């Protein structure tokens, strides 16, 4: 992550809005954050950390506590941080919860915390990622950087008191940090997957075992042996029970068949008795059936006479109705004659009404003819008024157009007078811009040349130091080699003396084989031990290794110096004689050219605007001239139109009477006339209709009376004829009068019921006689069976069968259960064996991956230990330099006590004592050097592994005051090396030597109205 800019408002000690543009510091700068105590140096780091994660670096204060007490109430506390990840930029803004003034009205309200995160593409377009939710913004930042706030503090922003945390962290804490930085979650995933898989298999094995026990318990068994014994006992018993059940089934079927035959015979004897009883009952019903037959015949005779009775009654009713209708028609005729006389008297008024109607129709025609004339009159009056208004408006427009045209001519003349001066200034724009671009390029080359020269001087100093150190190391190596060779010679000489002491006279020498020993070797010094000889050899090897490292470093510095000198020479050649000038002279010349460029740009822009303005004015002037001509033509046309309309209006006024010159009055007169016409027409129509209706009613009443008299006479004749026919029919059928006929009549339902009853009786008699004869013949040679004895035998056989079936069912259920149990046990045993075989592989892998074996190191921690070794190797190189070769960081490989995680603890090797001890034993200054080396080494290795996290920025808050002068110079040299390798390094320190050696600074100025920020460039 590379910071681009930071803006803070009312945050910490900054009352107003303060902005730092990190791009002004140059590419990958090493800069110092300087200022008095309490000015707000650490607040810069708090601002970055708060913008990203909503927390400060020290975590002592919440965001809501960071508001500046000196800030104006109208200023909102907020932080905006613009940074870059790769080629993509991001901008995040955070506002903590705070009291603020209401936007409307008096008083204050609570401003809730919020955050906005934008993604900025290389082309400058922005995309809103988070709109306001604080937690979403923090989650996005953690996903982008790959670090949470604690890890960010430990590897990128090292605040006060936090240097030792990464150094002193235990294996578990360091595992969390390194797994995030190196993206080793895949190994943790393997651990968790194997662990979960092994647990699942263990659970399944346990489940299979429990299921096996449950299967045996269901069968009331305890073991496989008991299952086999149960099979041996049950199978012969089941075979015997099956045979006994089959015998009982056969006996029961025979008894059941015998009982059914007896029941059928007994039922036939019972049916014979029922038929004999039914024959007696039918004989008793013969007299009643004869009476019912006679009644049915009489009813049929009465039914044949009934139509004549109905006809006589209908004719009597018709004669009565006809007499009533005749009397009613006579009354209606009398009333119609009276109404006709009244209508003829009223019709005599129609003649006078018709004369009045003709007068009103003539008046209506005259008034209707005035309507179109009045419409034309009103239209002419309105058109004349509008024409006069348009004429006046056209006159005013023409006057305004003349005034506007004169103004435009004056403005164009004024602009054309300004053209020559601006044209002269704008002609210098191109030359000035080219000179400015060339000078900017030259200034950039000059700055690069100065930086390279500083690097050359710095590299030369380091090269001299390394050369001197190499000479010392060469001397140390020569001394160590001489000491080792001397000890080795003494050891060889001592071996000869030891061998000589073992020689015996006249016995052959084990070396040369001679039996004479004239001059045996004698040692006059103490012989070195093997441990002393080994220590001298190790010292020589160590001195040689140090010497080789120094030589390699010297050669690397030589190549670096050559490259820097070549680059400085190339830049000096490009600058030419300009290299002799100072940076201030270059900047002053650049400022002058910049000012000239601004002036020429302004003149060119003004010239362009003036030319465009003149062109616009000319176009407007032409448009107005054309518009003025059109307005004059419209005025002349409108003036003629007014005169023509005035003549037409006067002519129309003579044709319309004064009292009808308004449409309302004329329409009212026409409406009144029309109303009178309609009223008279309705009176005439009503009188004529009444006369006609009365005449029609009189004729209709006379016709109705004649028809009623004729119907009355016809109905009387028909009544006499029907009466005579009814009396003759009654006498022939044997009925004395109408009442006897009505008594004999039956309904259709009653007659049908009598007929069906009689028919049913005769059918029952025939069926009973047939069945009785047939059944008497069939049972003539049989006797009634003893059903009770047969039922007792059947009950006995059924009980025997039930007992046999119950025994068979019990044995069959038990045998089936045993077979199912045996099958289920085989399936469970097979599955359990398969799971145990699988667990033998998965369980072992899970134990190894999760660190459940001897050394308690998980798979992820093993991978991280390898990465940690790389980090420690890089960190040791810097720590070795800063501690002047005394300290070397090591990873503790011993297993931790108990169940504590191990494998990632740190130790330090002290070259002065040749002992390895915990890092916690380092002093404050030594801890700072070790922590700084650790952070820098971690940064190198993370980027080398390209795990998606780029740690190209480091902020360090204090800690340098605990170093002595030599360690401080070595630390500064280390930071400069990092800066030259492409890192941005920000340092907060009160140490004066830091200020002297780091020229790029951000000064925090402490004032009574709040701190202010100022960027100082070398």
């Amino acid at each position: 992550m590379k910071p681009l800019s930071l803006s803070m408002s009312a945050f910490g000690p900054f009352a107003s809005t303060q902005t730092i543009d990190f791009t002004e510091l140059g590419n990958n700068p090493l800069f110092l954050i300087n200022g008095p105590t309490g000015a707000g140096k650490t607040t810069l780091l708090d601002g970055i950390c708060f913008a990203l994660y909503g927390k400060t670096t020290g975590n002592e204060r919440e965001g809501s506590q960071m508001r500046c007490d000196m800030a104006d109430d109208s200023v909102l506390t907020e932080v905006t941080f613009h940074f870059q990840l790769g080629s993509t930029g991001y901008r995040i803004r955070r506002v903590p919860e705070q009291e603020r003034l209401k936007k409307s009205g008096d008083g204050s309200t609570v401003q809730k915390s919020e955050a906005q995160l934008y993604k900025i593409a290389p082309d400058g377009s922005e995309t809103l990622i988070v709109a306001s939710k604080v937690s979403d913004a923090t989650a996005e930042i953690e996903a982008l950087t790959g670090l949470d706030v604690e890890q960010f503090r430990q590897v990128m922003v090292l605040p006060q008191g936090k240097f030792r945390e990464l150094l002193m962290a235990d294996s578990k804490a360091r595992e969390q940090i390194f797994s995030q930085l190196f993206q080793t979650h895949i190994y943790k995933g393997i651990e968790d997957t194997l662990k979960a898989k092994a647990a699942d298999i263990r659970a399944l094995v346990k489940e299979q075992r429990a299921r096996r026990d449950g299967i045996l318990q269901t069968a009331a068994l305890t073991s496989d042996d008991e299952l086999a014994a149960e099979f041996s006992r049950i199978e012969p018993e089941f075979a015997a029970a099956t045979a006994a059940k089959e015998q009982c089934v056969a006996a029961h079927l025979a008894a059941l068949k015998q009982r059914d035959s007896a029941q059928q015979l007994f039922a036939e004897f019972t049916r014979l008795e029922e038929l004999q009883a039914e024959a007696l009952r039918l004989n008793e019903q013969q007299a009643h059936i004869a009476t019912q037959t006679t009644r049915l015949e009489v009813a049929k005779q009465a039914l044949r006479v009934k139509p004549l009775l109905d006809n006589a009654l209908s004719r009597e009713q018709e004669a009565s109705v006809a007499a009533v209708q005749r009397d009613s028609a006579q009354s209606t005729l009398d009333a119609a004659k009276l109404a006709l006389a009244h209508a003829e008297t009223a019709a005599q008024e129609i003649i006078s009404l018709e004369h009045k109607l003709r007068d009103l129709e003539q008046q209506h025609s005259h008034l209707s003819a005035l309507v179109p004339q009045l419409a034309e009159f009103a239209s002419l009056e309105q058109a004349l008024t509008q024409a006069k208004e348009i004429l006046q408006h056209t006159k005013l427009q023409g006057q305004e157009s003349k005034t506007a045209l004169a103004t435009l001519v004056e403005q164009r003349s004024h602009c054309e007078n300004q053209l020559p001066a601006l044209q002269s200034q704008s002609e210098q724009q191109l030359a000035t811009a080219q000179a400015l671009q060339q000078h900017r390029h030259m200034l950039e080359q000059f700055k690069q040349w100065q930086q390279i020269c500083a690097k050359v001087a710095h590299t030369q100093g380091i090269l001299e130091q390394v050369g001197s150190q190499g000479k010392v190391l060469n001397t140390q190596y020569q001394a160590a080699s001489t000491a080792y060779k001397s000890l080795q010679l003494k050891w060889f000489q001592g071996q000869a003396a030891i061998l000589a002491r073992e020689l015996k006279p006249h016995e052959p020498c084990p070396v040369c084989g001679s039996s004479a020993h004239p001059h045996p070797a004698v040692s006059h010094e103490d012989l070195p031990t093997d441990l002393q000889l080994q220590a001298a050899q190790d010292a020589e090897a160590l001195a040689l290794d140090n010497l080789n490292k120094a030589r390699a470093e010297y050669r690397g510095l030589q190549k670096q110096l050559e490259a820097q000198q070549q680059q400085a020479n190339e830049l000096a050649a490009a600058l030419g004689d300009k290299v002799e000038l100072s940076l201030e002279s270059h900047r002053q010349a650049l400022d002058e050219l910049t000012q000239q460029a601004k002036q020429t740009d302004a003149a060119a822009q003004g010239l362009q605007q003036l030319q465009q303005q003149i062109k616009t004015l000319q176009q407007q002037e032409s448009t107005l001239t054309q518009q003025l001509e059109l307005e004059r033509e419209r005025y002349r046309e409108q003036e003629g139109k007014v005169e023509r309309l005035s003549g037409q209006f006067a002519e129309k006024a003579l044709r319309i009477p004064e009292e009808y010159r308004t449409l309302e009055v004329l329409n009212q007169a026409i409406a009144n006339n029309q109303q009178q016409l309609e009223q008279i027409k309705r009176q005439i129509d009503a009188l004529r209709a009444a006369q006609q209706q009365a005449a029609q009613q009189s004729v209709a009443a006379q016709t109705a009376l004649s028809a009623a008299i004729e119907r009355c006479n016809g109905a009387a004749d028909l009544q006499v004829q029907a009466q005579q026919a009814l009396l003759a029919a009654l006498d022939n059928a044997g009925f004395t009068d109408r009442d006897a006929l009505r008594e004999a009549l039956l309904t259709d339902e009653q007659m049908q019921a009598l007929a069906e009853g009689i028919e049913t009786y005769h059918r029952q008699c025939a069926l009973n006689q047939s069945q009785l004869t047939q059944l008497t013949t069939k049972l003539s040679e049989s006797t009634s069976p003893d059903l009770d004895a047969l039922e007792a035998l059947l009950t006995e056989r059924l009980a025997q069968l039930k007992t046999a079936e119950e025994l068979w069912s019990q044995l069959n259920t038990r045998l089936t259960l045993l077979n199912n149990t045996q099958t289920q046990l085989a399936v469970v045993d097979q599955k359990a064996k398969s799971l145990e075989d699988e667990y033998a592989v998965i369980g072992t892998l899970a134990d190894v991956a999760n660190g459940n074996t001897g050394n308690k190191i998980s798979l992820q921690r093993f991978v991280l230990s390898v990465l940690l070794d790389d980090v420690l190797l890089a960190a040791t190189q810097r720590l070795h330099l800063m501690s002047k070769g005394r300290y070397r960081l090591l990873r503790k490989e011993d297993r931790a006590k108990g169940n504590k995680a191990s494998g990632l603890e740190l130790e330090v090797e002290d070259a002065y004592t040749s002992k390895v001890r915990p890092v916690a034993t380092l002093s404050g200054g030594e801890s700072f050097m070790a922590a700084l080396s650790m952070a820098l080494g971690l940064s190198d290795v993370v980027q080398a592994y390209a795990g998606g996290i780029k740690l190209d920025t480091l902020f360090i808050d204090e800690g340098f005051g605990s170093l002595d002068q030599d360690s401080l110079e070595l630390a500064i040299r280390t930071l400069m090396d990092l800066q030259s390798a492409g890192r941005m390094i920000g340092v907060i320190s009160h140490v004066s030597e830091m200020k002297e050696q780091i020229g790029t600074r951000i000064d925090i100025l402490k004032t009574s109205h709040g701190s202010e920020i100022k960027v100082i460039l070398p």
Side-chain angles (χ1 to χ4, degrees), residues 51-195:
L52 293 174
Y53 299 98
K55 298 180 182 292
T56 59
T57 54
N59 209 22
E60 289 85 5
R61 289 191 292 174
E62 297 293 333
S64 58
Q65 300 172 330
M66 292 301 295
R67 179 168 178 81
C68 180
D69 296 332
M70 294 178 286
D72 189 85
D73 293 339
S74 62
V75 179
L76 195 67
T77 299
E78 60 179 301
V79 178
T80 301
F81 183 45
H82 184 193
F83 61 95
Q84 185 174 348
L85 291 174
S87 60
T88 305
Y90 296 89
R91 185 176 73 254
I92 184 168
R93 172 182 175 267
R94 278 190 193 263
V95 177
E97 182 176 312
Q98 57 190 287
E99 290 281 339
R100 64 167 176 81
L101 295 177
K102 292 183 177 179
K103 295 181 179 180
S104 60
D106 299 331
S108 62
T109 184
V110 176
Q111 167 70 45
K112 297 297 184 181
S113 59
E114 62 180 44
Q116 293 88 35
L117 177 61
Y118 296 87
K119 180 179 179 181
I120 305 174
D123 60 358
S125 60
E126 295 187 357
T127 302
L128 180 63
I129 301 176
V130 177
S132 63
K133 195 171 182 181
V134 173
S135 58
D136 290 349
T138 303
E140 285 290 338
I141 289 296
E142 290 178 354
L144 290 171
T145 62
L147 303 170
D148 60 21
V149 62
E150 293 297 334
Q151 296 160 353
F152 182 78
R153 291 170 181 155
Q154 291 178 324
V155 300
M156 292 190 70
V157 177
L158 301 181
Q160 293 183 8
K162 302 292 182 180
F163 293 104
R164 293 167 58 90
E165 287 189 3
L166 180 62
L167 185 67
M168 303 300 175
D170 58 10
S171 287
K172 186 174 182 180
R174 191 171 284 111
E175 180 178 3
Q176 294 178 354
I177 299 171
F178 275 46
S179 64
Q180 188 74 14
L181 292 175
F182 290 103
Q183 300 294 302
T184 58
H185 302 95
I186 184 174
Y187 302 105
K188 182 63 176 175
I190 294 174
E191 296 176 14
D192 296 341
T193 301
L194 289 172
K195 184 176 181 180

Side-chain angles (χ1 to χ4, degrees), residues 711-733:
R711 285 196 301 273
C712 183
N713 294 332
D717 295 339
L718 292 175
Q719 180 184 3
V720 172
Q721 295 175 4
Q723 182 69 24
Q724 293 174 353
L726 176 61
L727 291 175
L730 289 174
D731 186 49
N732 293 332

Side-chain angles (χ1 to χ4, degrees), residues 851-862:
N852 295 329
T853 54
N855 56 6
K856 297 293 182 182
I857 297 178
S858 64
L859 175 62
Q860 180 177 236
R861 198 171 296 124
F862 173 77

Side-chain angles (χ1 to χ4, degrees), residues 812-826:
N812 181 61
T813 301
R814 182 60 177 171
L815 185 60
T816 302
L817 178 61
L818 293 176
N819 286 325
N820 291 338
T821 301
Q822 190 177 43
T823 302
Q824 292 174 357
L825 289 176

Side-chain angles (χ1 to χ4, degrees), residues 20 597 668:
I20 301 176
Q668 185 63 38

